[in-house]
Amino acid sequence: MERQQLLDREASSWEALMGAVARVPEARRTELGVVPGWSVADLVWHCGYWVDDAARRIELIAADSPEPEEPEAVWQKTNDEVAEQSKTMSWDEVVTRSEAARERIRAVLSSLSEIGPAAESEFSDETFEHYDEHRAEIERFAASAL
């Protein structure tokens, strides 16, 4: 994809994710059960955390210093830590920090002179593909409350 297509796709998927979130009453956004043991707030922060981490990895790719892929056990442990961290955050903090991570990754992508396959993959995997995955889960949760 071209740079602008990636940025547009990220923005539209984030908007769709937050649209799904908006269908969940604010009082239920910390209720567990969207996926086992996770709330809407946990999933939004989970996306924000991994977007910020992907921005860091794209910077490393651009500097020709990519990190080796982590085994599933490592990133699963990180997911658990991120979910615990989100439980200590207010809803506003979850959204503010996640949106700051989005701004960062969009700036990183925009600053690249050339977007290679590795950077494109990091960007798409951790932004719109990730948002879309969790949007579907949040939509199911929102519908189950009706």
Side-chain angles (χ1 to χ4, degrees):
M1 274 189 219
E2 297 294 322
R3 180 186 326 267
Q4 194 57 52
Q5 290 174 304
L6 289 165
L7 293 170
D8 290 348
R9 181 77 190 276
E10 185 278 338
S12 66
S13 288
W14 180 259
E15 186 176 313
L17 173 70
M18 295 311 285
V21 167
R23 290 191 287 282
V24 177
E26 193 166 339
R28 292 196 64 219
R29 292 181 189 162
T30 56
E31 183 180 311
L32 301 180
V34 179
V35 296
W38 288 44
S39 68
V40 169
D42 297 334
L43 286 175
V44 171
W45 175 235
H46 165 84
C47 286
Y49 174 88
W50 286 112
V51 163
D52 195 58
D53 192 64
R56 181 187 61 78
R57 291 191 310 268
I58 292 169
E59 289 171 332
L60 291 172
I61 291 166
D64 204 26
S65 300
E67 289 183 334
E69 182 113 2
E70 295 285 353
E72 183 176 346
V74 171
W75 57 258
Q76 189 55 55
K77 181 178 184 293
T78 302
N79 278 340
D80 294 342
E81 292 167 355
V82 169
E84 287 306 310
Q85 182 182 40
S86 66
K87 289 170 178 40
T88 69
M89 298 162 61
S90 69
W91 174 248
D92 287 342
E93 185 179 5
V94 165
V95 173
T96 299
R97 290 179 66 181
S98 296
E99 289 180 346
R102 285 187 61 231
E103 289 174 22
R104 177 175 179 222
I105 199 167
R106 292 173 62 83
V108 167
L109 189 79
S110 295
S111 73
L112 299 177
S113 58
E114 183 178 320
I115 302 170
E120 181 178 343
S121 178
E122 283 291 339
F123 185 85
S124 61
D125 290 352
E126 295 301 344
T127 62
F128 54 84
E129 290 177 11
H130 204 190
Y131 305 160
D132 292 351
E133 172 191 353
H134 293 309
R135 176 190 42 79
E137 294 163 341
I138 292 168
E139 286 174 344
R140 281 191 295 276
F141 181 75
S144 73
L146 298 177

